Amino acid sequence: MPDLLPLSPRLRATDAPPIPAARAWAARYAGGAGPLIDLTQAVPGYPPHPDMLARLAEAAGSRAAAGYGPIDGDPALREALAADAAAVYGAEIGAADVAITAGCNIAFSMAMAVAAGGAGAGVILPTPWYFNHRMALEMQGIPAIPLPCRAEDGFLPDPDRLAPLLAAGARALVLVTPNNPTGAVCPPALIEACAALCRRHGAWLVLDETYRDFLPAGGPPHALFQDPGWRDGVVHLYSFSKAYCVPGHRVGAILAGPAFRTELLKALDTWQICPPRAAQAALAWAVPALADWRAANRDLMAERAAGFRAAVAQLPGWRLDALGAYFAYLRVPEDGPDAMAVAEHLAARRGLLGLPGPFFGPGQERHLRLAFANAAMEAIAQVPARLAH
């Protein structure tokens, strides 16, 4: 048999996707603890709005949606998202600032190509990090520079630890808030301090706010967009998947200034041609029309978060180190095995699927991520019994 033909060394060096690995453990589950509870992937734990589904069906069957569209997205959705973002952040944001993408993962990959591709310099990822971000950098040959975040700091980045990494020549800092995997929410002052450090050192701030629709009602998440100069240093990532319950339709967005967009258009044209047309048409209606529905779902997620917090408080030895948006980040008992062994045992023997901390970077051997937003309150109430064995 001939030797294996050459394959990309970057891809071969990239870790395998974690979620299929965790679900493979669950294939051994015999059902003794009750129905399987899957808290691995961040998926909306309730269905899309019925009017949204109707519009998706109508648009999918239209001739218009079958053709190519603008490479940076249909104008109606760009305008709708710009108006929504302007209201959320209390700032002047227009359709010219918005590019629609085929999901937020590809938005991140393209943003990294524009900001750091081929430069030889790295991108700072606070740890624990979102594993797909790390994988995207690995595939492009961009070094990931860890910025360790500690439980005692609420898993928030420390500007004093960030500054030397920027001074050493990093091309960008990535902040995910609310965070995946911890759920931690960066306060406005911290986001603005990180942005100021990035400006001082000539680095991009890439701000992933995929879960911003699940923040408590109140003031804007930060004031970055209120500064007219944001377009020279800030790149904003957004996903429609969670807020509108359409992850399978793959629609995300990048907000950026004209210089960044000029180079981004090359990536958009090459990597996606155009975003999915039918979903864009339905979302252009949904962004303004479903504001009250989104708010109700935000409140529902807050109830699940409170229920999860109360549930795990019953467990001796376990410690809830962070919680927010879709995620809880638990420290496994100190007198037991590490998180990898715990996660495999829970999946194979107790029918509870979560992701162990090592999937999210170095130094996470004692933590477990559970995406509580996936589960109704009845399932959340069963979590303590599953974790107790």
Side-chain angles (χ1 to χ4, degrees):
M1 184 174 179
D3 292 337
L4 182 69
L5 293 176
L7 298 171
S8 164
R10 290 179 182 170
L11 269 292
R12 294 183 72 180
T14 301
D15 290 338
I19 291 174
R23 289 180 176 165
W25 297 332
R28 310 201 309 263
Y29 177 57
L36 195 70
I37 301 174
D38 188 348
L39 304 184
T40 54
Q41 194 167 23
V43 295
Y46 44 85
H49 192 284
D51 292 346
M52 176 73 177
L53 289 174
R55 287 175 180 268
L56 279 168
E58 180 182 2
S62 70
R63 182 173 179 178
Y68 288 125
I71 61 175
D72 58 350
D74 291 351
L77 182 55
R78 292 172 61 203
E79 291 166 4
L81 181 59
D84 185 65
V88 168
Y89 297 101
E92 292 186 7
I93 298 171
D97 299 315
V98 177
I100 304 300
T101 63
C104 199
N105 266 18
I106 200 171
F108 178 82
S109 294
M110 291 188 290
M112 292 300 98
V114 175
V123 169
I124 300 168
L125 293 186
T127 57
W129 54 41
Y130 174 42
F131 48 76
N132 280 158
H133 285 175
R134 173 68 180 86
M135 293 166 70
L137 293 175
E138 181 82 28
M139 291 176 188
Q140 294 189 50
I142 301 171
I145 304 170
L147 173 60
C149 297
R150 304 177 302 181
E152 54 266 39
D153 298 327
F155 287 106
L156 297 174
D158 183 343
D160 290 338
R161 292 183 172 153
L162 168 63
L165 302 180
L166 290 168
R171 292 296 293 262
L173 164 68
V174 177
L175 288 183
V176 183
T177 178
N179 186 259
N180 179 4
T182 67
V185 177
C186 288
L190 177 56
I191 296 173
E192 291 150 25
C194 290
L197 282 172
C198 287
R199 281 196 304 272
R200 186 179 310 159
H201 293 284
W204 290 96
L205 172 60
V206 179
L207 192 60
D208 184 334
E209 293 188 273
T210 291
Y211 299 95
R212 74 122 197 263
D213 295 279
F214 302 98
L215 289 168
H222 53 78
L224 296 187
F225 292 126
Q226 296 172 18
D227 176 0
W230 74 265
R231 295 171 179 85
D232 298 326
V234 174
V235 177
H236 177 271
L237 307 182
Y238 179 73
S239 171
F240 296 89
S241 294
K242 310 305 189 288
Y244 299 92
C245 302
V246 289
H249 287 278
R250 310 311 305 140
V251 187
I254 299 174
L255 275 63
F260 194 95
R261 280 177 52 83
T262 295
E263 308 311 319
L264 175 64
L265 288 170
K266 302 171 187 177
L268 292 168
D269 186 51
T270 303
W271 289 5
Q272 71 176 27
I273 307 295
C274 67
R277 302 294 309 287
Q280 288 187 81
L283 285 164
W285 165 83
V287 171
L290 297 184
D292 291 344
W293 180 78
R294 281 189 291 156
N297 290 333
R298 178 196 65 214
D299 294 342
L300 174 63
M301 289 299 99
E303 291 174 8
R304 291 184 181 179
F308 190 92
R309 184 184 295 277
V312 298
Q314 309 169 28
L315 290 169
W318 290 81
R319 190 176 79 201
L320 182 60
D321 276 344
L323 179 144
Y326 267 45
F327 306 112
Y329 208 57
L330 284 82
R331 188 170 183 88
V332 302
E334 296 293 343
D335 58 353
D338 65 18
M340 289 293 290
V342 169
E344 183 174 0
H345 171 80
L346 289 172
R349 294 299 191 83
R350 303 301 300 163
L352 177 66
L353 278 71
L355 294 183
F359 287 168
F360 301 100
Q364 307 304 309
E365 292 78 10
R366 304 304 303 175
H367 282 92
L368 183 71
R369 189 197 79 173
L370 298 179
F372 63 82
N374 302 2
M377 293 298 290
E378 295 80 5
I380 289 173
Q382 297 176 39
V383 168
R386 306 284 179 105
L387 291 176
H389 292 271

